[in-house]
DNA sequence: TATTGTTATACTCTATAACTATA
DNA sequence: TATAGTTATAGAGTATAACAATA
């Protein structure tokens, strides 16, 4: 696979590896890191998070149990619907999320650091097109 | 993250998701699919595979136990070193590997199908540069 | 002593199915 | 009945540490 397909797999592996290494550096699992990053944009419901992660509700229960035990996030009741829970970051979780995000962002920037401004622009545009055309699923 | 970093994460997520879906279609886990693809290029030792996967030897024992139980690969002795084992694909494993590989290749090609020939060339070149500059680790 | 691979143990992540409580 | 979330159970993947056999 020495073509686009191979390139995509290798590039994706590079990004995945980078993400995992940075997670470890912050004493997080990659999934926990992803959870923190999502919650950085605001509180979310359990079902909402399950949908976002393309995972069953039950998996989120476990994920949140561990995140809560580690003091990164918490579940709070939703006024008006006594079945529902909202997930928010704790202070520690917010600090961890910000630190992780900053770090991973810098490393990803460094990853494309060898591109010329021109090449970088083309690359960004191509990624944008692929992502847009594929949306969520594809 | 609406920049290169965000694009890389989303693109990598797209590729990862595609890989996982195709694996499932072939009744494989993503890790098993990766193992089959590596073995398609020839037999490998256990330690060699562990290195390739950036994983401890013990993890590979478990991985191979399951692959062997499913009839996809087998361990054979190495003449000349009675400690070592070589991992090879079974016939069924070879069939599964080829079918998976073909399928994933086609899907990845389709992923970049919206790019113009020009854009595609630029994209390929940029990926090549990034990968080359980062080699294995980076 | 170093290397190859395994075993034992524990943890994370995930799926499925059955369940509770509320809407 | 439908939705939100949990519990129970099982399996994959991984790490660590201790081990056996061979080099």
């Amino acid at each position: 696979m020495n073509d686009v397909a191979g390139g995509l797999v290798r590039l994706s592996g590079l990004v995945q590896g980078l993400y995992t290494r940075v997670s470890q550096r912050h004493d997080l699992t990659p999934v926990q890191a992803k959870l923190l990053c999502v919650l950085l944009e605001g509180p979310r419901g359990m079902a909402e998070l399950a949908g976002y992660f393309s995972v069953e509700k039950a998996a989120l229960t476990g994920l949140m149990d561990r995140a809560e035990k580690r003091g990164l996030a918490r579940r709070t009741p939703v006024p008006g619907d006594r079945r529902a829970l909202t997930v928010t970051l704790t202070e520690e979780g917010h600090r961890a999320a910000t630190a992780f995000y900053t770090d991973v962002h810098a490393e990803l920037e460094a990853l494309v650091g060898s591109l010329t401004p021109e090449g970088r622009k083309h690359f960004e545009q191509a990624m944008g097109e692929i992502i847009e055309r594929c949306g969520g699923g594809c």
Side-chain angles (χ1 to χ4, degrees), chain A residues 64-77:
Chain A
M64 271 307 298
D65 285 350
R66 292 185 290 274
E68 213 156 23
K69 196 162 63 181
R70 290 207 36 192
L72 298 169
R74 73 167 74 83
R75 287 175 263 216
T76 54

Side-chain angles (χ1 to χ4, degrees), chain A residues 15-65:
Chain A
V15 172
Q16 223 51 46
L18 184 154
Y19 199 93
T20 300
R21 280 198 309 281
V22 176
S23 303
Q24 283 168 344
R25 206 149 67 207
H26 291 259
D27 196 28
L28 298 167
T29 67
V31 179
Q32 279 173 345
K34 193 177 167 193
L35 175 64
L36 295 190
C37 285
V38 172
L39 292 175
L40 213 43
E41 289 167 21
R44 295 283 184 273
M46 294 288 286
E48 198 179 352
L49 288 170
Y52 191 88
F53 281 74
S54 299
V55 132
E56 292 299 316
K57 293 177 303 176
L60 240 119
T61 298
L63 192 53
M64 271 307 298
D65 285 350

Side-chain angles (χ1 to χ4, degrees), chain A residues 50-126:
Chain A
Y52 191 88
F53 281 74
S54 299
V55 132
E56 292 299 316
K57 293 177 303 176
L60 240 119
T61 298
L63 192 53
M64 271 307 298
D65 285 350
R66 292 185 290 274
E68 213 156 23
K69 196 162 63 181
R70 290 207 36 192
L72 298 169
R74 73 167 74 83
R75 287 175 263 216
T76 54
V78 171
D81 188 343
R82 291 195 303 186
R83 296 169 305 178
L85 294 172
T86 296
V87 178
T88 54
L89 289 173
T90 61
E91 265 198 40
E92 186 191 339
H94 196 277
R95 269 197 304 276
T98 309
F100 170 79
Y101 184 95
T102 306
D103 202 351
V104 93
H105 194 278
E107 294 248 13
L108 287 168
E109 278 289 342
L111 196 66
V112 298
S114 60
L115 300 180
T116 63
E118 266 287 294
R120 180 181 168 129
K121 218 173 66 185
H122 285 140
F123 183 60
E124 279 194 73
Q125 209 202 328

